[in-house]
Amino acid sequence: MQKSVLPILISAVATWALLLVCSRALVIGLSLDPWMFTFLQMGSGGLFFIVISRGAEAGISALWRTDTWLIGVFRVGTAALYMAALIHVDVLQAGFFASISVPMSALAVCFLFNRQPTRLELMGHLPLIAGAAATAFGFEGSIQNPAFLLLALSQVCVLAASLFAERHPHMMAMAPRTRLRLTGIILLVTAMGFAVWRILQSTVGLAGDADITELMRPELWAAGLGLGITLRGLATYLGLRAAAVAGTHNYLAAALALPMVGAVLECFVAWYGYGAWPDIGPLQTIAGTLILGGGSVVIYARKRAGKMATQTT
């Protein structure tokens, strides 16, 4: 892994953690409808990026690409499944269980691109799997909890979206405006899909009817537009860019730190009285330790393998 990639990975993880913490604090503190709040974030972030990237090469042509729509579809699945899971588990549990995405990505990369993991990397995957399993068995109702399947499917969507972003030519483009335009388009596609998903849920009775009066609340618009323009677009851009330049497997490995960074930020927010302190029990401590240890081994193994490959060429 090149040193120039590290700032992108660190920025992506930090921005996503900040976005999640701020979103949770605003939804709870202002009693906002999470679906409408997220829709406004995606829509405003996408429109903002499209406006500031005027003149970019990735214009309407990006909408004709199948992989652009597939990224949007999988991101809709990620957001919808994740939000559905949060009804049954808390954010920290969901974040720790997401560590299963790293072994999943290694398996996918091995089959799709024939990138064989080293023995040391395989050893690092074991505590990651153990940490995810410990988290799952700690759910209320153990693995019978609906969150188990919802989060597993959500991670499949995260992996698929990242793999498509890694190979998307517009995200690999040298011109930043081209990458910004693609991010904006993906956010708008995701926002539309998110709205359709919510309408279908209400139609078939899987969710309560949306309260139209909620749309009249100025707090909803201020919070949604504010976070959408400042953080949602940036977090999405950095995540897609990190997958493109570092590879999906490295990006997801770096994202293992997201729950810990989020917990630290939640403590900071709670210290100033704007949110609740994270609930960290013995099981979460054990799972977090396993995940940090395993993630460190995986990242070290990949960095070491990269150096050895460079020396032999």
Side-chain angles (χ1 to χ4, degrees):
M1 190 189 306
Q2 298 177 0
K3 289 183 178 180
S4 59
V5 173
L6 290 178
I8 299 176
L9 290 173
I10 294 171
S11 299
V13 172
T15 306
W16 269 113
L18 183 59
L19 173 64
L20 292 174
V21 170
C22 290
S23 296
R24 184 167 182 262
L26 287 170
V27 167
I28 295 174
L30 300 176
S31 299
L32 302 177
D33 182 297
W35 292 88
M36 294 182 185
F37 179 55
T38 305
F39 170 76
L40 286 176
Q41 277 191 28
M42 292 176 178
S44 60
L47 284 173
F48 178 71
F49 269 32
I50 287 175
V51 169
I52 66 174
S53 62
R54 291 165 69 180
E57 295 178 9
I60 196 68
S61 62
L63 285 173
W64 295 108
R65 293 188 58 87
T66 303
D67 48 2
T68 299
W69 285 91
L70 286 174
I71 294 172
V73 168
F74 283 120
R75 289 188 65 82
V76 171
T78 299
L81 292 166
Y82 182 80
M83 288 190 66
L86 290 183
I87 298 174
H88 308 283
V89 296
D90 60 35
V91 174
L92 196 61
Q93 287 177 308
F96 281 160
F97 183 77
S99 64
I100 196 66
S101 65
V102 177
M104 287 170 56
S105 69
L107 187 63
V109 165
C110 179
F111 279 110
L112 294 174
F113 309 125
N114 197 29
R115 300 179 194 167
Q116 300 289 338
T118 64
R119 183 176 299 179
L120 180 60
E121 181 181 336
L122 289 175
M123 293 298 294
H125 288 303
L126 295 179
L128 291 177
I129 296 172
T135 302
F137 282 104
F139 293 163
E140 183 178 351
S142 189
I143 58 174
Q144 301 300 320
N145 190 308
F148 178 75
L149 180 59
L150 291 170
L151 288 173
L153 292 175
S154 177
Q155 292 310 305
V156 171
C157 290
V158 169
L159 175 59
S162 299
L163 285 171
F164 280 112
E166 179 181 346
R167 298 284 170 166
H168 200 292
H170 290 149
M171 190 51 64
M172 292 295 294
M174 295 297 292
R177 283 189 178 185
T178 301
R179 301 195 297 266
L180 289 173
R181 175 59 62 93
L182 176 64
T183 303
I185 290 172
I186 289 173
L187 276 169
L188 282 183
V189 170
T190 306
M192 289 187 291
F194 202 67
V196 171
W197 179 281
R198 184 67 174 89
I199 292 170
L200 289 175
Q201 274 192 316
S202 298
T203 301
V204 299
L206 293 177
D209 293 332
D211 186 0
I212 302 301
T213 59
E214 180 73 15
L215 283 173
M216 306 303 293
R217 295 182 60 190
E219 311 97 292
L220 174 69
W221 286 87
L225 297 181
L227 275 190
I229 292 173
T230 58
L231 285 178
R232 171 65 72 167
L234 180 60
T236 304
Y237 170 81
L238 289 172
L240 295 174
R241 183 61 178 162
V245 299
T248 297
H249 54 308
N250 287 324
Y251 168 55
L252 293 179
L256 289 173
L258 200 152
M260 292 72 169
V261 176
V264 171
L265 290 174
E266 282 191 328
C267 290
F268 182 79
V269 171
W271 179 268
Y272 287 94
Y274 291 102
W277 289 89
D279 183 15
I280 303 176
L283 188 61
Q284 285 84 0
T285 303
I286 294 172
T289 302
L290 287 169
I291 291 166
L292 275 179
S296 299
V297 172
V298 168
I299 292 172
Y300 171 76
R302 288 174 179 172
K303 187 175 181 180
R304 180 184 178 188
K307 284 184 176 181
M308 292 178 65
T310 302
Q311 291 173 357
T312 55
T313 56

